[in-house]
Structure formats: C-alpha cells, structure tokens
Amino acid sequence: MAKQVLTQEQKQTQRLALEQQRLLGLVLEKNDAEMAEFIDNKVSEIQALEKTSDDQDTLDDNGGNQGNDRHDDPHGLDAETASEVSGDDDTMAWYRYFANNRSRDDEYYSPIAVNEKTLQEFVADQLGELELDETQQMIAHAIVGNIEDSGYLHRSAAEIADDVTFNDGYVVDAHQVGEMIKTVQTLDPPGIAARDLQECMMLQLERKPRTREVEQAMTMVGKYFDDLAAMRFDSMARKMGVDKEQLEEVFRHQIRRGLNPYPGNAFGSRNDSSQQVTPDFDVELDEDDGRLTVTLRNNIPALQISESYALMNERYKQPVAMSVKETKEKKQIMDAYQRASMFIEVLKQRQETLFNTMSAIVKCQRDYFLSGDERDLKPLGQQQIADMIGKDVSVVSRAVSNKYVQMPWGVKSLKSFFSEDINGASRHEVYDDLKKLVDAEDKAHPLSDDALCDRLKEMGYKLERRTVAKYRDALKIPSSTIRRKMSR
C-alpha cells in the first residue's frame, strides 16, 4: 500500500512540475497588457488566489506575511548592494529588481508610443536652452521643422528664409538662416541638420578630441571625400603621405564605426503610426560615471493565498479521520492551494527571468546603451544569452517576445538587439555600409546588386548577391533601375 501511495505522490509531483514549466513558458511570452488580463482570469479561476488590498501584506507560499519591498533582488540582495552583482572591465553596471509584489506607493505605467519622441521634437526641446531672441527662435524652429527623419536638412537657407518671411511674418534673409543652421548643428545628435553626407561626417568629427587619427579622418572626409566614397585608399595614402594600412585602420575605427551617417535613425518617424506599448524595462545612463541602471518595471499586481484557504489547508494537514465528504473537500482545498502557490511562484520566476535576460543583453550590448548608435550593436544570438543566465534558448526566445525597453533616446524591442554574425560584424553594420555605398554612388549610374555585393566583399563582408538584395529591400532602397529613373 505504501508503494502505491509513493507512486501516486511521485506522479502528482511530476504533473505539478510539468504544469509549472508550461505555465512559466506561457507567462514569459505575455506582455504587461496581456498579463493583466491573464492574472484576472486566474484569480477568477483559482478560488484560493486573490489580489492583495493596499492595507495588506502579501502571503508567502506557506501563508505567512511577505513584506511589500519593491526592491527585492533575485540574488537575495537589496537595491543598494545589487550594484555589486555584475559589471565589466570599465564600469560596474547597476541593477535594480522590482519584485512581483506591489505597495500602495508603486507607480503604475501607462502605455506609450514606441519611439514616441521624434527627432524634430528632441532637437526642438534643446532650443529652449539657447539664448535666442524672438526672430532667431522663429528661424531655428523653421529649420528644425525642415529636418528630415534621417537627420539631414535638404532645403536651402533661401527657401527657409522665404518660409519664415511669408508664413510667419518675420522678414529674414538667407544669411540669417545660414547662421542659425550652424547653431542648430551644435545640438544633439551630432551631425544633425547637415546638408549632405560629407558635412554630416565633418560635424561629428569636429566634436571629437583632436587626436592624430581624428585629424587624419577629417582630412579624408574634408579633402578627399570622392576617394573615400570610392574606397581608394591607395590614392588617399599617396596624397596624404601615410601608409595605406594606417588609413584603413583610421577608416575602420574613426569613420565606419565612429560616425553615424543617419543621425536621426534612433528616433521615430513623423509619418509612422506608432504602436502603443508599455515598456517592460528602463535602462538609464549616468553620464558622469558611465553607469548603466537596468530596471524591470513593476506592473504586476500583488497576489496572495486567501486567509480562509490558508487556514483550511493547515487544518487538513492534521492526521485525523475524515468522512468521504471531508476527504473530497480536503482534495479540493489542497489542490486549489497548490495551484495558487504555484502561480505565485511562476510570477516570481517570470520577473527574475525577464530581469536576468535584460541584464545579460545590456552586458553584451553595453557600447550601444552608452552611445545610442545602432552601429555599436554587436552580433548576438539568443543562445549566448541563454548560456549567460543558465536557461534554455527557448526560455530566452519567450522572454524577449513582444518586450520593449525605454532608453534616453527612445523605445526599442528586445528582439532588435539580436543579429547574426557576418564576418565579425553585426547586420546593423552591414546595413550601415550598404546605405553609405548607395548614398555615395553616381545617381546617373547607380550600383547594381552585383556591384554592391562586390563592394561589400572588398570591405570584408562575404555575402551572396541575393542576401545583398534582401538587405537592400529591408532598408527600403529601390533597385538600381528605379534609382536611375528617380535621378532623371
């Protein structure tokens, strides 16, 4: 008889373990909005489960009180010591963990639009920090309003002067607008309001500390831009009197990786219909010491096992004789108690897994979180994150699904931090170089996909033509035939 009871208990334990894993996988995939509805359904379904009121503490798995400390850390550390959990060779990262329980002082987050602040709004906000008179303010706002989503200003100073004069009633000339364009170009992001790629690159180089490499990069961009666009390093090396290998190194570090040809690429488009989402994380940068803070937002309500079920569960643990009716009731009570306990534990595991996943992503993509420049994104696979947090890759896949992070420069999907390794570079870098090749091409004789493929191979990317065509389509760059017609 004892053997039969042991077998039944083993089967029940295995069933509960499988159910817990299935439930964890389910809640990991859900975003905050979906979780709110899912939790409401579970509270209605499991009679032993209830939401805590503001004047109650949550109950632990044994029915005891669990304080509403919103800084609980998965490693057993409080908010102040959590900074010691992880770091890198340069600066220790700071981490905060918001547990799944809430207090009455907790902040509730409302949905926001992905990349809600446009580039134009970001630049316009900085105008208030400048000492400008009324006319200058009007000109500056007109300039910002004409900046394209890519960050470039393609309307002439004379055209903008006409707009201000006829539409706003301020009589200004092209010279005044030109001077104000220079002022706008001092704002962030670096390279903003440039009239062409060459000026965009020079504006960014001028903000860098003047090292020998930066001076050489400025010479390449300022004096030999045509050679640079065509990747004629031999020609530039002869004209500058330096080694070709040295110039290639300067290009690789100071230009290709150090400059952003599209300063507006981290912001939302004015024409996009933004998706309303509630970010799951915040990543903040302390510019004074370069520390990054990762915060898992706490939008999950506090849950507890109802007091009546906790008391009945304790009572039924006592070895007393029971009637058939009491035995049936005991099974129902203990089953509801176990399901409620399991669900509370699953929510805790969900929060810990999400936090650990985001923390690992920040470690791997630290350069991007410091700069906001997508070219700093490194090749990263989900298996790498899975190995770091000690989980199966399927867990990471669910954890990043439909999740977003709020950063100083906008909102980004967690999936966007992953890309395949292309000869030591990320897909973002290949995209960037592909854009540069198209921007620098002779518009009357645009580069075909075969030619683009050859140029990319010269830059070290071993890609097939069909892959280049796929990347070009992803960037919404028309075919060479259409680009030729557009240039006429």
Side-chain angles (χ1 to χ4, degrees):
M1 186 66 180
K3 184 177 181 180
Q4 183 180 359
V5 172
L6 181 62
T7 302
Q8 288 176 343
E9 289 179 351
Q10 286 178 335
K11 288 182 177 179
Q12 185 177 19
T13 302
Q14 291 173 351
R15 179 181 62 80
L16 289 173
L18 290 173
E19 174 64 16
Q20 184 166 330
Q21 287 300 112
R22 185 196 67 80
L23 191 56
L24 178 60
L26 187 63
V27 297
L28 276 175
E29 290 181 334
K30 295 185 180 297
N31 57 29
D32 276 331
E34 293 168 334
M35 280 300 297
E37 182 180 357
F38 186 71
I39 289 174
D40 286 342
N41 291 337
K42 282 296 180 183
V43 170
S44 300
E45 175 189 332
I46 305 174
Q47 294 180 344
L49 193 64
E50 66 180 17
K51 295 180 181 180
T52 57
S53 58
D54 288 341
D55 57 349
Q56 287 180 305
D57 288 334
T58 56
L59 301 178
D60 60 22
D61 290 349
N62 296 316
N65 285 335
Q66 189 183 57
N68 274 330
D69 181 3
R70 53 196 303 265
H71 295 293
D72 287 348
D73 183 84
H75 302 276
L77 302 175
D78 58 26
E80 294 181 356
T81 58
S83 62
E84 301 174 3
V85 171
S86 181
D88 55 38
D89 295 336
D90 299 321
T91 307
M92 193 71 70
W94 282 6
Y95 298 112
R96 290 184 295 178
Y97 173 66
F98 281 16
N100 65 319
N101 53 319
R102 304 191 61 105
S103 73
R104 72 182 68 189
D105 298 324
D106 281 353
E107 179 180 358
Y108 286 78
Y109 298 93
S110 301
I112 64 173
V114 178
N115 292 327
E116 183 178 25
K117 180 168 285 191
T118 65
L119 170 67
Q120 295 76 18
E121 291 168 338
F122 179 75
V123 178
D125 287 345
Q126 300 172 65
L127 293 178
E129 302 174 7
L130 304 178
E131 295 183 1
L132 304 176
D133 60 33
E134 187 176 347
T135 300
Q136 290 174 325
Q137 281 278 0
M138 189 62 63
I139 297 172
H141 280 284
I143 292 169
V144 172
N146 279 283
I147 294 176
E148 298 176 358
D149 291 333
S150 61
Y152 287 88
L153 178 66
H154 286 145
R155 295 200 72 203
S156 68
E159 290 173 326
I160 295 175
D162 289 342
D163 288 344
V164 175
T165 299
F166 293 110
N167 297 334
D168 302 313
Y170 290 78
V171 180
V172 299
D173 56 31
H175 175 73
Q176 290 174 282
V177 175
E179 291 300 308
M180 192 52 57
I181 288 175
K182 295 178 183 177
T183 300
V184 173
Q185 288 175 340
T186 65
L187 304 178
D188 290 326
I192 195 68
R195 271 64 66 92
D196 54 39
L197 178 61
Q198 183 179 19
E199 184 179 30
C200 180
M201 297 169 74
M202 285 298 294
L203 288 171
Q204 295 176 60
L205 286 168
E206 287 168 356
R207 295 204 194 184
K208 290 176 172 260
R210 291 298 179 91
T211 64
R212 184 186 67 174
E213 290 78 11
V214 171
E215 292 283 358
Q216 289 176 335
M218 294 178 70
T219 301
M220 293 166 70
V221 173
K223 293 185 177 180
Y224 308 114
F225 187 72
D226 289 341
D227 286 334
L228 177 63
M231 311 292 284
R232 292 192 289 263
F233 290 105
D234 286 328
S235 175
M236 285 187 289
R238 286 195 303 272
K239 294 173 183 177
M240 295 173 63
V242 297
D243 293 336
K244 175 187 174 184
E245 291 75 15
Q246 182 182 349
L247 277 193
E248 289 176 339
E249 191 72 9
V250 170
F251 169 75
R252 187 177 302 111
H253 293 285
Q254 298 297 333
I255 297 178
R256 193 176 84 177
R257 292 177 181 261
L259 304 180
N260 185 357
Y262 298 93
N265 64 358
F267 298 86
S269 168
R270 288 175 290 188
N271 299 321
D272 289 343
S273 54
S274 299
Q275 178 187 2
Q276 294 290 319
V277 299
T278 302
D280 303 87
F281 304 92
D282 290 291
V283 173
E284 300 168 343
L285 169 63
D286 188 330
E287 295 184 358
D288 293 332
D289 56 18
R291 293 180 184 234
L292 292 167
T293 302
V294 178
T295 303
L296 171 60
R297 290 188 175 186
N298 184 20
N299 284 334
I300 294 179
L303 299 177
Q304 68 178 14
I305 297 173
S306 70
E307 186 176 359
S308 61
Y309 269 81
L311 292 173
M312 285 189 290
N313 183 69
E314 287 298 315
R315 188 184 74 186
Y316 281 127
K317 285 182 179 179
Q318 305 303 319
V320 295
M322 297 183 188
S323 65
V324 174
K325 180 179 179 182
E326 287 176 326
T327 302
K328 183 178 180 180
E329 184 182 67
K330 171 186 175 181
K331 184 179 184 305
Q332 292 174 340
I333 294 297
M334 297 190 74
D335 182 63
Y337 183 90
Q338 285 181 330
R339 292 179 66 197
S341 298
M342 180 179 66
F343 189 68
I344 291 173
E345 176 63 24
V346 163
L347 291 184
K348 177 184 175 183
Q349 291 178 0
R350 175 187 186 269
Q351 300 298 83
E352 291 179 356
T353 302
L354 290 179
F355 174 80
N356 291 338
T357 299
M358 186 71 241
S359 299
I361 291 173
V362 171
K363 284 184 182 180
C364 294
Q365 302 290 11
R366 175 178 172 80
D367 289 345
Y368 168 77
F369 283 99
L370 291 175
S371 69
D373 187 343
E374 288 196 351
R375 290 170 308 152
D376 287 330
L377 288 170
K378 297 178 174 62
L380 181 63
Q382 293 184 3
Q383 183 63 58
Q384 184 176 343
I385 299 298
D387 293 339
M388 291 176 67
I389 67 174
K391 299 288 185 181
D392 189 82
V393 68
S394 63
V395 172
V396 174
S397 177
R398 292 186 176 98
V400 302
S401 176
N402 203 19
K403 307 298 190 306
Y404 294 83
V405 56
Q406 173 79 61
M407 301 168 293
W409 40 83
V411 178
K412 196 173 182 68
S413 164
L414 263 61
K415 281 190 174 181
S416 65
F417 294 110
F418 298 92
S419 69
E420 68 271 26
D421 188 329
I422 305 172
N423 309 128
S426 71
R427 186 178 65 250
H428 302 281
E429 289 180 274
V430 180
Y431 279 5
D432 182 57
D433 285 330
L434 180 56
K435 286 179 183 177
K436 287 180 180 178
L437 289 173
V438 173
D439 286 342
E441 69 184 0
D442 181 354
K443 300 306 177 184
H445 301 90
L447 298 170
S448 65
D449 288 339
D450 285 320
L452 288 171
C453 186
D454 291 339
R455 294 287 183 90
L456 288 170
K457 285 181 179 177
E458 291 173 4
M459 298 169 71
Y461 302 120
K462 297 179 181 179
L463 299 171
E464 299 294 331
R465 178 193 174 282
R466 62 178 180 275
T467 303
V468 173
K470 181 179 74 172
Y471 287 175
R472 177 178 55 73
D473 288 338
L475 293 169
K476 298 181 180 179
I477 297 174
S479 67
S480 58
T481 302
I482 296 176
R483 299 202 304 276
R484 184 181 298 108
K485 291 179 180 179
M486 292 170 61
S487 67
R488 295 172 182 171

